Amino acid sequence: ARPDRDKARLWIRYCRGKRLTSSLSLRLLITSALSTIIALLATALVLNQLFRNYFEERIHSDLDAWFVTLTSQTQLDVDGQLTVGELGDPRFSQPLSGYYWQVTQENGAPVLSASYWAQPLDLEPPAERGKLAFATIVGSDGEVYLTGSWRITLEHEGEARELLVAVAIDQTSVEAPISSFRRSVTMALALLGTFLVLASWFTVRIGLKPLDKVKAEVNLVKTKPGPRLSTDCAAEIAPLVKEVNDLLESQEQTVETARARASTLAHGLKTPLTVMRALAQDLRSGGDVSTIPDEIDYQVTSTQHLVERELARTRDQMSGQVVQCEAEPVLRKLVQAFQRRVGGDDVAWTIDVAPHAVCPFDEFALTELLGNLIDNATKWTGDKIAVSAGGTAVRGSSQVSDNGSGISEAELESVMRRGKRLDETDPGHGLGLSIVQDMVAQRDVNLILSNLPNGGLNARLEWGS
């Protein structure tokens, strides 16, 4: 049981981590906070280094001035004794102030500043006379000193004496102001960092505010289908709004297509069901039943064909593959079927199919398309129907024409609407032409209706034009 509990804890911890990392506002806040902290740390390092460089340069500049003053106040009296005047800076007179000077002559006792309470510093004379040399040494008291020294020569009664003039500053005296500056900078940058993180949080909240509007509009769309997301939004989320609106549009079109497909399938199944109902009544009445099995078999085959056609169309749309078939076998089967239906002697059929003509449909789709067009022609023809096809799957055409009364120019467009019938007394639901139009629209094929000069209607399918 314990391993299961451990797994459960790990899973909960993982889910919590996923929730944290999936929050856009939290990501932005963490990123902003990290970048702010890194920038402030870099700023603190740069400021501290700049202040150290400035302070050390200032110390060196003060050392130069003190050396000039101390050298000018160093002399030999009439007895040849070394005398040195005090510097004007009071820190050289204050004991243990950290500021010291000393002048040492060869084989003589050094002269020390009043601030000295320890032994003189043991300094190495600079190699070059008159040139200031800086060094860091450890005194006899264990303290670290920053020193500057140079060698000068004084004459007394024709005798040259070499002196070592040195000024020393306790390293603590240098580090104390730098440490104080570092603390002040750290406190100031910490306050600034806190303010910037809060400002980042506020900025993130304000910046993501438009997403709340999008969320509200999406919830409205879920409860009230039809509206679209407002395009009056920030430029950064405009592509998102456009994609969502396109998705909603596509969804509506999918629903409409599904409804049209359902209507198409119902329209196709209506005739077989009606025929089978009539056959059932014949069976009840005890009439001639010798042809009923064949009729039932035919209607079942028609129903199966409709179902397979819908399945094939669905597979075609889902796979996105390009399908095609030869036109002549399909056309001849269709014409033979309709000849049996309407009577071979009542209508003169003309079939004109170019050799090896190919249509950009499978056999089921082509049968449905031309079957609806031929069915429409058989209802309105006088006594002639012509069917033709030519071209390739890339570019070609197929057409069905009759010598009936045709359609008035004003009604050519309206007849394409689903369910529209010009003659309400004629059987049918007006779906044939609109079914054809829906099918060809999915394959980038044009359906063109036109009246023939000598009367009749020509329905033409064109692709690749």
Side-chain angles (χ1 to χ4, degrees):
R2 181 176 179 79
D4 292 338
R5 289 197 300 269
D6 293 340
K7 290 180 180 179
R9 293 193 187 98
L10 290 174
W11 177 252
I12 293 173
R13 191 176 305 168
Y14 170 78
C15 292
R16 289 175 178 173
K18 291 292 287 183
R19 285 197 297 270
L20 288 177
T21 55
S22 62
S23 172
L24 181 59
S25 59
L26 186 59
R27 286 184 181 184
L28 292 175
L29 184 59
I30 291 176
T31 303
S32 178
L34 288 177
S35 60
T36 298
I37 291 173
I38 293 173
L40 291 178
L41 287 176
T43 302
L45 293 175
V46 171
L47 288 177
N48 287 326
Q49 188 61 42
L50 290 176
F51 181 77
R52 174 180 287 275
N53 294 339
Y54 163 76
F55 194 75
E56 289 180 351
E57 289 179 1
R58 181 178 174 183
I59 292 296
H60 290 169
S61 177
D62 291 343
L63 285 175
D64 288 339
W66 290 332
F67 271 113
V68 172
T69 303
L70 188 62
T71 301
S72 65
Q73 295 180 174
T74 300
Q75 56 186 348
L76 298 174
D77 59 14
V78 294
D79 297 327
Q81 297 296 321
L82 179 62
T83 60
V84 182
E86 285 289 345
L87 295 178
D89 194 325
R91 288 175 293 184
F92 290 97
S93 301
Q94 180 181 352
L96 299 178
S97 65
Y99 288 77
Y100 313 99
W101 59 260
Q102 68 181 44
V103 180
T104 306
Q105 60 179 332
E106 189 176 359
N107 300 324
V111 179
L112 306 176
S113 63
S115 56
Y116 257 118
W117 274 27
Q119 295 181 358
L121 298 176
D122 186 11
L123 300 173
E124 288 290 336
E128 186 176 350
R129 183 181 291 105
K131 184 176 181 181
L132 187 62
F134 295 99
T136 300
I137 64 172
V138 179
S140 58
D141 55 357
E143 297 292 336
V144 180
Y145 295 92
L146 176 63
T147 64
S149 60
W150 62 6
R151 291 161 44 192
I152 63 174
T153 302
L154 296 180
E155 292 187 359
H156 179 69
E157 297 180 352
E159 179 184 1
R161 295 187 182 182
E162 189 173 273
L163 304 178
L164 177 61
V165 181
V167 177
I169 301 176
D170 191 345
Q171 187 71 23
T172 305
S173 302
V174 177
E175 292 295 335
I178 295 177
S179 299
S180 177
F181 178 80
R182 184 184 299 114
R183 287 192 298 271
S184 300
V185 168
T186 301
M187 293 178 60
L189 292 182
L191 292 175
L192 179 60
T194 302
F195 171 78
L196 290 178
V197 170
L198 292 176
S200 298
W201 175 83
F202 182 76
T203 302
V204 168
R205 297 302 300 172
I206 295 299
L208 297 180
K209 198 68 176 177
L211 293 180
D212 294 335
K213 178 183 177 182
V214 174
K215 178 181 177 181
E217 292 180 350
V218 170
N219 290 331
L220 178 62
V221 170
K222 289 194 300 184
T223 57
K224 187 178 180 181
R228 298 290 185 267
L229 302 186
S230 174
T231 56
D232 184 16
C233 58
E236 290 76 9
I237 64 174
L240 172 63
V241 171
K242 181 180 181 301
E243 291 296 330
V244 172
N245 286 336
D246 291 345
L247 178 61
L248 293 174
E249 187 71 26
S250 176
Q251 186 179 24
E252 282 193 0
Q253 292 178 359
T254 301
V255 172
E256 290 297 325
T257 301
R259 290 175 179 172
R261 295 275 294 278
S263 177
T264 300
L265 184 59
H267 175 260
L269 294 175
K270 182 177 178 63
T271 299
L273 292 174
T274 302
V275 172
M276 284 191 285
R277 180 183 294 274
L279 293 175
Q281 291 177 354
D282 291 342
L283 287 173
R284 291 191 188 96
S285 63
D288 184 12
V289 297
S290 59
T291 60
I292 290 180
D294 293 335
E295 287 293 335
I296 292 177
D297 185 63
Y298 177 78
Q299 298 303 326
V300 169
T301 302
S302 299
T303 303
Q304 184 180 8
H305 163 72
L306 291 172
V307 173
E308 289 179 352
R309 177 183 57 78
E310 289 299 323
L311 293 176
R313 183 188 300 176
T314 302
R315 289 194 300 269
D316 182 30
Q317 291 177 344
M318 293 179 62
S319 65
Q321 298 178 351
V322 177
V323 294
Q324 61 186 32
C325 69
E326 290 191 10
E328 183 177 9
V330 177
L331 285 177
R332 293 199 178 276
K333 288 180 182 180
L334 276 172
V335 171
Q336 290 174 3
F338 277 97
Q339 281 178 337
R340 289 195 299 268
R341 173 179 169 183
V342 301
D345 298 332
D346 296 335
V347 177
W349 295 83
T350 301
I351 302 176
D352 181 14
V353 182
H356 307 294
V358 177
C359 297
F361 316 103
D362 61 17
E363 293 182 2
F364 294 119
L366 184 59
T367 300
E368 179 70 12
L369 286 170
L370 295 182
N372 277 286
L373 295 180
I374 295 174
D375 180 64
N376 187 72
T378 59
K379 294 177 183 178
W380 303 102
T381 185
D383 55 2
K384 294 180 181 179
I385 296 177
V387 182
S388 64
T392 65
V394 177
R395 183 170 184 174
S397 64
S398 180
Q399 60 186 9
V400 177
S401 59
D402 61 75
N403 62 344
S405 57
I407 303 175
S408 66
E409 296 297 330
E411 294 175 326
L412 275 176
E413 181 180 355
S414 63
V415 77
M416 299 298 295
R417 293 199 297 269
R418 177 170 290 272
K420 174 64 177 178
R421 287 190 290 134
L422 298 181
D423 186 358
E424 298 295 335
T425 64
D426 194 70
H429 288 76
L431 296 173
L433 291 178
S434 60
I435 289 173
V436 174
Q437 188 179 42
D438 290 344
M439 293 180 66
V440 299
Q442 297 172 1
R443 294 168 171 82
D444 195 21
V445 177
N446 295 322
L447 171 61
I448 304 172
L449 298 181
S450 61
N451 289 310
L452 298 175
N454 297 326
L457 180 69
N458 181 66
R460 181 181 179 86
L461 300 175
E462 286 187 355
W463 56 89
S465 56

